[in-house]
């Protein structure tokens, strides 16, 4: 167990606030052993990603069952149609000698209830009980929060059956039957009511229990737990109040641990608890067991409407649920001595996927003790040392469960005097690495087929496999400084550098640095590239830093607002600590966490199972996958990741390096066409070399090159020093430079003089770029390298723009060919980005001049919503919180709005030109949910950053399988 978990859990008993946190985390399935600590902390944006991954997995599972129903009914009852009869109006379904429900009845019985029935049916040892349906919960609300008529009669009848099965009677003062009351909706949900154990005990039956078991200590321990849980969970008494009473007794007896309190002390404690209860509730602890049961059932129903439950459902977009089910189950006692115990386990390791039971158990303990942190649980692997037979039985159960569910399970069990009982099973959450390994292993074990395996792996989780990550066991709360946005995944360690120039210089000298800035701008790209990782204090998931870093696969934490940077002083402060150039920090771009010191990392493993999954994905997908890459290195990396071409090469990054920016500035500041051409002349050889490098890396595959896109002022110097330098180089007065910079300044550059507008007004720029492309292609052809350039004109909004620029481009192509005496065919396609709403609206006209379309969904989203993606972080978090937007539209394509423009663009474009090739090159190309849409919309390919290529391949395969 991680130190972190123990820490937070051990607080559980002292502060109720902590208790809630712990509980919540656990219910969310996050605080289990092996679950990387990172999963616990997520910004809103990454949260929606998680949810989405989950939904994908869920709907994927559903789909599988539909497709292979015949084979799966036996195997995958979790997802297959119910074998049992759902009776209209029936409020209670039993499990035990007679089992009336099954695993397929999740909606009606909740996940927990359905699986308790299922486990009973397949012969696993489950303490018998019954489930009150979610529909009954809905009736309770329809009935103004009163239990529906007849429910308690039904409950009594089922309790009678339970008494017969167990040979004990409820509330008896001889050998009483005790039950637990457990909530459970169709979908696992934090915020629902906590479980109550040992229900049915009172002043008399506790004596009976002591006699029947010959264990008075156990009986009073159970009783004090009941009063505490019932008081806390059903009546809302602060846990503190009970805790206080317990501490008093412990200090009176001079003992430290709960387990050291003798029987007499526990008896005294029960009395003290009853006093607390009466004082806080205003009435005595109910002695009538049926009254206890009724109040508990009402409390479970009531918790469905608790604020935290409502909030959770809203955030997760859960709708159409009836309510929660209530499970009433006879008790198995893990606290009857050293031959008893309780535990939680995964049937396989949820971090690595290793096929071995993984979990923890605690001897002589009950229920939540394992996660409560009062005592330290032991790893399940150590169980044989305690009780070989129990371990063997647990392994047999693992096999039964996996044979049956054909998936990794997350289980809860209790051992009563050497007899093992199963209390819960559900599909186990896992890391990306575990998902891949478990899926491949299960195919090998013939439990599932390739298609099912593909659908089981949440595409987005592959990121975890592609990049280095911090060893989850090494993360610690004490080192966590703050949490920003998980802007670009990966893990990096380095010394802070506060300017781009400084980062370049120090990295050059061999130091590992992390660029720490308020926000980055295009001028910082050099420094960003040199740094191990990037940390910004402002800016969102689509800020400059985030987008650029993602493109490179470089780790970035953005918008860490708690960080205060003193650029001049060379320090940053965060939560009372200050860090300078000499200090080491570690940033986790997958979680947004920032740590002090150096954290050990784990390197990615791309062969073996990962490669196998990718092969399967390629077999089933129909959508092409290209990459967005601006450098030969990125192109090569993307090719290694399986990209079949480049869907977007941005040329602007090429103008920043070294001398180029000077030539670029000269070009911009030139007053005459001749001056401009002279400056461009200097840039030409650099551009040509860039293209040759990229064509070579991508040989045989198409490379779509976007002509210059950003507004010119982005290339201009903004500080005094730089302006002086430019003035000096150009031999002009610095005042003149200043004037020009001011003149070129635009109020809204993103909508200003950029994209094809630049090419229309400065045709020389287009001419130079096209020349560089053609010369590069010719040189490649002469060297027998198959280059397939495609020229893409950005930001087209009218067909006239494209028709003029196309003609111009063709002219330059011919000219260059002629100059070089190149007679062979150079097949250079000319197309456009569709990123302005008007381009979609008039796609038929535009298609007349285009060989291909590529949807630039970033700008299309920006212009359709009217949001600037650079500033969106000032209101997006609140929008997400208040449900104004279901998710960040720059991360996952807005399927009801922007998607229409995509669909329209495709229809109109292909209507005009049936052979029109259409792709997308926005950030959305690597987002699984968006990829599903692009598949359905009939695009030819998606293009995404190199590190997302495998994600896109898998998502495309899943989309194809799901629409089969
Ligand atoms: P959660 O949804 O928080 O996991 P559960 O309803 O699963 O809550 O209950 C938590 C724990 O309580 C179980 O893991 C189990 O250890 C214990 N528990 C619940 N019901 C019983 C029972 N009938 N007998 C023994 N232990 C039980
Ligand atoms: Mg549970
Ligand atoms: Mg654009």
């Amino acid at each position: 167990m991680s130190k972190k978990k123990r820490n937070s859990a051990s607080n559980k008993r002292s502060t109720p606030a902590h208790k809630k946190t712990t509980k919540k985390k656990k219910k969310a399935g996050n605080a289990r052993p092996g679950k990387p600590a990172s999963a616990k902390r997520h910004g809103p944006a990454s949260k929606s990603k998680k949810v989405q991954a989950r939904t994908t997995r869920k709907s994927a599972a559903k789909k599988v069952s539909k497709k292979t129903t015949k084979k799966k009914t036996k195997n995958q009852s979790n997802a297959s149609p119910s074998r049992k009869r759902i009776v209209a109006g029936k409020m209670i379904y039993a499990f035990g000698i007679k089992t009336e429900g099954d695993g397929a009845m999740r909606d009606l019985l909740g996940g927990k209830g359905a699986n308790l029935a299922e486990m009973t049916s397949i012969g696993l040892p489950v303490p018998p009980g019954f489930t009150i349906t979610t529909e009954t919960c809905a009736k309770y609300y329809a009935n103004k929060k009163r239990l529906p008529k007849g429910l308690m009669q039904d409950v009594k009848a089922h309790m009678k059956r339970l008494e017969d099965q167990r040979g004990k009677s409820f509330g008896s003062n001889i050998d009483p039957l005790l039950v637990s009351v457990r909530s459970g909706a169709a979908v696992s949900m934090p915020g629902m009511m906590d479980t109550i154990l040992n229900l049915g005990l009172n002043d008399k039956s506790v004596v009976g229990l002591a006699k029947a078991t010959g264990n008075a200590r156990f009986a009073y321990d159970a009783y004090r737990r009941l009063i505490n849980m019932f008081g806390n969970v059903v009546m809302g008494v602060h846990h503190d109040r009970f805790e206080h009473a317990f501490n008093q007794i412990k200090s009176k007896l001079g003992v430290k641990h709960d387990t050291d309190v003798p029987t007499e002390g526990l008896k005294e404690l029960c009395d003290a608890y009853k006093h607390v209860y009466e004082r806080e509730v205003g009435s005595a602890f109910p002695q009538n067991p049926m009254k206890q049961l009724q109040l508990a059932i009402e409390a479970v129903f009531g918790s469905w409407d608790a604020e935290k439950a409502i909030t959770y459902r809203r955030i997760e977009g859960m709708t159409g649920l009836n309510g929660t089910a209530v499970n009433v189950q006879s008790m198995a006692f893990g606290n009857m001595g050293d031959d008893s115990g309780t535990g939680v386990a995964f049937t396989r390791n949820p971090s690595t996927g290793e096929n071995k039971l993984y979990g923890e158990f605690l001897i002589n303990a009950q229920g939540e003790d394992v996660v409560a942190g009062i005592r330290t649980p032991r790893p399940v692997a150590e169980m044989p040392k305690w009780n070989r037979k129990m371990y063997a039985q647990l392994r047999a159960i693992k096999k039964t469960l996996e044979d049956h569910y054909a998936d990794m399970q997350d289980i809860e069990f209790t051992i009563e005097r050497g007899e093992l009982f199963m209390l819960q099973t559900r599909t186990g959450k896992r890391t990306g690495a575990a998902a891949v390994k478990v899926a491949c292993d299960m195919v090998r074990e013939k439990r599932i087929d390739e298609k099912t395996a593909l659908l089981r792996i949440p595409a987005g989780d592959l990121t975890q496999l592609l990049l280095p990550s911090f060893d989850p066991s090494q993360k610690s709360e004490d080192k966590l400084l703050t949490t920003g946005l998980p802007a670009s995944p990966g893990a990096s360690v380095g010394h802070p550098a506060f300017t781009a120039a400084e980062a370049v210089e120090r990295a050059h000298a061999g130091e590992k640095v992390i660029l720490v800035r308020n926000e980055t701008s295009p001028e910082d790209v050099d420094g960003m590239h040199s740094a191990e990782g990037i940390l910004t204090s402002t800016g969102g998931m689509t800020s400059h830093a985030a987008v650029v870093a993602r493109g490179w696969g470089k780790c970035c934490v953005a918008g860490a607002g708690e960080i205060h940077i003193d650029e001049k002083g060379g320090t940053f402060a965060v939560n009372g600590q200050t860090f300078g150039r000499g200090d080491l920090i570690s940033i986790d771009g997958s979680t947004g966490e920032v740590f002090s010191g150096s954290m050990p990392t784990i390197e990615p493993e791309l062969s073996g199972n990962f490669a196998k999954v990718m092969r399967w994905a390629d077999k089933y997908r129909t959508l092409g996958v290209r990459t967005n890459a601006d450098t030969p290195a990125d192109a090569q990396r993307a090719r290694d990741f399986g990209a079949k071409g480049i869907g977007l090469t941005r040329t602007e990054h090429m103008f920043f390096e070294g001398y180029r920016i000077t030539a670029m500035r000269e070009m911009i500041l030139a007053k005459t066409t001749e001056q401009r051409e002279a400056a461009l002349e200097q840039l030409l050889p650099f551009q040509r070399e860039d293209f040759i490098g990229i064509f070579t890396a991508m040989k045989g595959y198409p490379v779509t090159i976007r002509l210059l896109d950003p507004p010119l002022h982005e290339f201009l110097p903004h500080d005094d020093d730089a302006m002086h330098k430019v003035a000096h180089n150009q031999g002009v007065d610095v005042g003149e430079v200043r004037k020009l910079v001011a003149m070129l300044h635009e109020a809204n550059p993103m909508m200003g003089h950029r994209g094809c507008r630049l090419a229309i007004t400065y045709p020389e720029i287009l001419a130079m770029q096209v020349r560089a492309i053609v010369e590069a292609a010719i040189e490649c052809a002469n060297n027998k390298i198959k280059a397939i350039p495609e020229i893409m004109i950005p930001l087209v909004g009218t067909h006239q723009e494209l028709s003029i620029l196309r003609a111009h481009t063709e002219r330059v192509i011919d000219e260059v060919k002629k100059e070089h005496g190149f007679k062979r065919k150079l097949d250079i396609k000319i197309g456009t980005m569709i990123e302005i709403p008007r381009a979609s609206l008039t796609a038929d006209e535009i298609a007349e001049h285009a060989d291909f379309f590529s949807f630039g969904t970033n700008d299309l989203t920006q212009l359709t919503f009217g949001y600037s993606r650079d500033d969106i972080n000032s209101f997006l978090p609140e929008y997400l919180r208040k449900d104004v937007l279901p998710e960040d539209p720059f991360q996952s394509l807005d399927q009801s709005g922007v998607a229409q423009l995509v669909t329209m663009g495709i229809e109109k474009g292909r209507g005009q030109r049936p052979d029109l090739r259409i792709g997308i090159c926005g950030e959305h190309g690597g987002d699984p949910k968006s990829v599903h849409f692009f598949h359905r919309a009939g695009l030819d390919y998606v293009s995404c950053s190199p590190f997302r290529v495998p994600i896109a391949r898998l998502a495309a395969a899943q989309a194809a399988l799901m629409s089969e």
Side-chain angles (χ1 to χ4, degrees), residues 243 354 370 440 479 634 774 875 962:
E243 195 61 23
E354 189 194 4
V370 179
C440 289
K479 289 196 163 177
D634 279 351
V774 179
F875 61 88
M962 287 167 74

Side-chain angles (χ1 to χ4, degrees), residues 23 26-27 112 180 182 195 197 329-332 342 367-368 412 414 423-424:
K23 181 80 189 178
K26 188 199 155 226
K27 283 213 174 174
K112 203 180 282 169
S180 65
R182 318 169 65 186
T195 296
L197 305 175
Q329 186 176 25
S330 53
M331 288 299 301
T342 178
E368 307 266 87
E412 298 174 6
T414 284
L423 291 164
Q424 192 168 338

Side-chain angles (χ1 to χ4, degrees), residues 457-469:
I457 304 165
D461 289 1
L462 285 184
T463 326
Q464 301 163 17
L465 276 81
L466 302 174
L467 298 163
S469 56

Side-chain angles (χ1 to χ4, degrees), residues 706 709 754 794-795 833 835 856 858-860 869:
R706 179 178 72 183
D709 182 59
R754 55 174 289 221
L795 224 68
M833 283 184 87
E835 54 186 333
N858 292 350
D859 272 339
L860 196 59
R869 67 185 136 124

Side-chain angles (χ1 to χ4, degrees), residues 86-105:
I86 295 181
V87 181
K90 186 173 161 68
M91 289 188 280
I92 298 181
Y93 287 71
F95 54 90
I97 289 179
K98 187 175 173 211
T99 300
E100 300 168 317
D102 67 23
M105 294 190 194

Side-chain angles (χ1 to χ4, degrees), residues 330-559:
S330 53
M331 288 299 301
F333 297 108
N335 52 340
M336 287 191 76
D338 287 343
D339 54 355
S340 304
T342 178
V344 295
F346 289 85
T347 56
R348 303 190 183 209
N349 186 312
S351 287
T352 63
E354 189 194 4
N355 187 3
K356 210 175 142 199
L357 273 168
Y358 182 90
E360 298 174 311
F361 75 107
L362 204 51
I363 297 163
N364 195 11
Q366 194 174 38
E368 307 266 87
D369 290 1
V370 179
V371 290
I374 308 161
R375 287 155 57 198
T376 310
R378 292 163 64 179
V380 163
E382 285 180 17
M383 220 163 137
K385 273 193 241 160
W386 168 66
N387 188 332
R388 189 168 295 279
K389 210 181 111 212
M390 283 302 102
Y391 187 64
Q393 195 184 343
L394 199 60
R395 284 185 46 182
I397 286 173
K398 160 187 155 66
K399 181 167 182 316
T400 309
L401 283 171
E402 289 194 342
D403 284 349
H404 184 73
Y405 287 99
D407 201 352
M408 185 243 269
Q409 297 293 299
D410 169 354
I411 61 174
E412 298 174 6
F413 60 91
T414 284
I415 295 158
E416 175 179 329
R417 289 182 165 164
E419 199 182 342
L420 196 146
F421 293 95
M422 289 298 296
L423 291 164
Q424 192 168 338
T425 191
R426 57 185 156 188
T427 307
K429 298 229 167 76
R430 61 205 82 178
T431 62
V436 167
K437 178 159 167 52
V438 170
C440 289
D441 286 351
M442 289 206 164
V443 170
R444 211 171 301 126
E445 294 157 19
K446 301 211 160 38
R447 293 182 195 280
I448 56 175
D449 59 16
E450 275 170 31
K451 294 183 182 181
T452 310
L454 285 173
L455 291 167
R456 285 263 177 94
I457 304 165
D461 289 1
L462 285 184
T463 326
Q464 301 163 17
L465 276 81
L466 302 174
L467 298 163
S469 56
F470 288 128
D471 183 346
S473 67
Q474 303 285 320
K475 283 191 178 179
S476 83
E477 197 104 293
D478 343 327
K479 289 196 163 177
L480 182 69
L481 297 173
T482 184
T483 305
L485 300 171
S488 177
S492 60
V493 180
H495 300 280
F498 299 91
T499 66
E502 180 196 338
V504 173
E505 194 176 302
R506 288 169 57 199
H508 221 74
E511 197 183 346
K512 286 189 182 330
V513 298
I514 295 199
L515 182 63
V516 182
R517 304 276 294 158
N518 284 324
E519 169 56 310
T520 61
S521 71
E523 291 165 70
D524 295 329
V525 286
D526 247 7
M528 293 165 74
H529 209 259
S530 308
E532 297 294 309
I534 299 148
L535 170 62
T536 70
S537 61
T538 60
M541 292 291 286
T542 44
S543 60
H544 177 265
V547 172
V548 172
R550 272 202 295 278
W552 293 337
K554 186 162 296 240
C555 169
C556 173
V557 172

